[in-house]
Amino acid sequence: AQKITQTQPGMFVQEKEAVTLDCTYDTSDQSYGLFWYKQPSSGEMIFLIYQGSYDEQNATEGRYSLNFQKARKSANLVISASQLGDSAMYFCAMRDFQGGSEKLVFGKGTKLTVNP
Amino acid sequence: GAGVSQSPSNKVTEKGKDVELRCDPISGHTALYWYRQSLGQGLEFLIYFQGNSAPDKSGLPSDRFSAERTGGSVSTLTIQRTQQEDSAVYLCASSFAGGPYNEQFFGPGTRLTVL
């Protein structure tokens, strides 16, 4: 079974600085996909970025990039030039296929606070 | 376009009552998912639909929970004889298998409080 570990319950960053949110994963699959979602206080989960296990380059989407280290089984999210609106919960997730079913397995999340 | 919608946004019920939670996925999305988010358990997968079929119902926490999907669109999650431990936010998501990432798009959730 897939497992996602996020070891930082909370992180603080100054506005305009970069921040890295950690994510490690455990899987025996050779092909897999990793996701990061943002959950603001409004509650809706917002897809940020995706990394496939066979992707040769680290994924980037605007101010978001993924530091993917396959051998270490880590997929850290880097947010550059933090903004006040980045304050939210961030979840790392992995797609899991089992028994004909598909789901996302989530980590516990990291609460990011951006200070002015 | 319209995103995933869920209703009601909030539901307060008494222990022992039945509740129905509704999810309207994004039009054209064939896959639909239900998750539960609570403080102690994080985000838990409940059930997955491909079309109207649910190949695996093992994520449902007890036989008081059931879900159906009709017409490959709207889904209803029903909780019978609610218990206080059912209090949580219930999130619905949908996805389109033909996309580059097949990412799941989430609705705003239904906050269920069982008194």
Side-chain angles (χ1 to χ4, degrees), chain B residues 6-24:
Chain B
Q6 293 185 246
S7 60
S9 55
N10 279 285
K11 177 72 176 178
V12 180
T13 190
E14 294 180 347
K15 178 181 172 181
K17 300 282 190 182
D18 297 352
V19 296
E20 283 190 354
L21 312 180
R22 177 187 169 105
C23 172
D24 279 275

Side-chain angles (χ1 to χ4, degrees), chain B residues 60-88:
Chain B
L60 296 175
S62 78
D63 59 7
R64 296 185 295 104
F65 287 71
S66 63
E68 65 175 13
R69 188 180 185 194
T70 55
S73 181
V74 171
S75 176
T76 302
L77 177 68
T78 301
I79 309 173
Q80 295 178 311
R81 305 181 303 281
T82 52
Q83 304 294 312
Q84 289 182 335
E85 61 263 29
D86 299 335
S87 295

Side-chain angles (χ1 to χ4, degrees), chain A residues 55-86:
Chain A
D55 293 343
E56 294 184 352
Q57 292 187 330
N58 288 343
T60 61
E61 288 287 350
R63 295 187 297 110
Y64 304 109
S65 61
L66 212 150
N67 183 1
F68 182 48
Q69 299 187 44
K70 195 170 180 177
R72 298 181 61 182
K73 293 189 174 179
S74 74
N76 298 339
L77 177 70
V78 180
I79 305 174
S80 62
S82 297
Q83 301 172 357
L84 296 178
D86 294 335

Side-chain angles (χ1 to χ4, degrees), chain B:
Chain B
V4 178
S5 61
Q6 293 185 246
S7 60
S9 55
N10 279 285
K11 177 72 176 178
V12 180
T13 190
E14 294 180 347
K15 178 181 172 181
K17 300 282 190 182
D18 297 352
V19 296
E20 283 190 354
L21 312 180
R22 177 187 169 105
C23 172
D24 279 275
I26 293 172
S27 177
H29 281 196
T30 56
L32 186 146
Y33 315 78
W34 283 97
Y35 295 87
R36 178 169 73 173
Q37 186 174 25
S38 55
L39 280 176
Q41 300 297 324
L43 275 149
E44 300 173 88
F45 167 77
L46 298 179
I47 193 167
Y48 155 76
F49 286 93
Q50 180 58 248
N52 292 335
S53 299
D56 180 12
K57 300 182 180 180
S58 63
L60 296 175
S62 78
D63 59 7
R64 296 185 295 104
F65 287 71
S66 63
E68 65 175 13
R69 188 180 185 194
T70 55
S73 181
V74 171
S75 176
T76 302
L77 177 68
T78 301
I79 309 173
Q80 295 178 311
R81 305 181 303 281
T82 52
Q83 304 294 312
Q84 289 182 335
E85 61 263 29
D86 299 335
S87 295
V89 176
Y90 289 81
L91 292 166
C92 176
S94 68
S95 69
F96 171 59
Y101 310 135
N102 194 18
E103 71 270 30
Q104 295 180 21
F105 294 83
F106 283 78
T110 293
R111 181 176 296 277
L112 175 65
T113 303
V114 182
L115 302 177

Side-chain angles (χ1 to χ4, degrees), chain A residues 32-35 49-53 55-59 66 68 75:
Chain A
Y32 50 87
L34 294 156
F35 300 79
I49 196 166
Y50 170 83
Q51 180 79 48
S53 58
D55 293 343
E56 294 184 352
Q57 292 187 330
N58 288 343
L66 212 150
F68 182 48

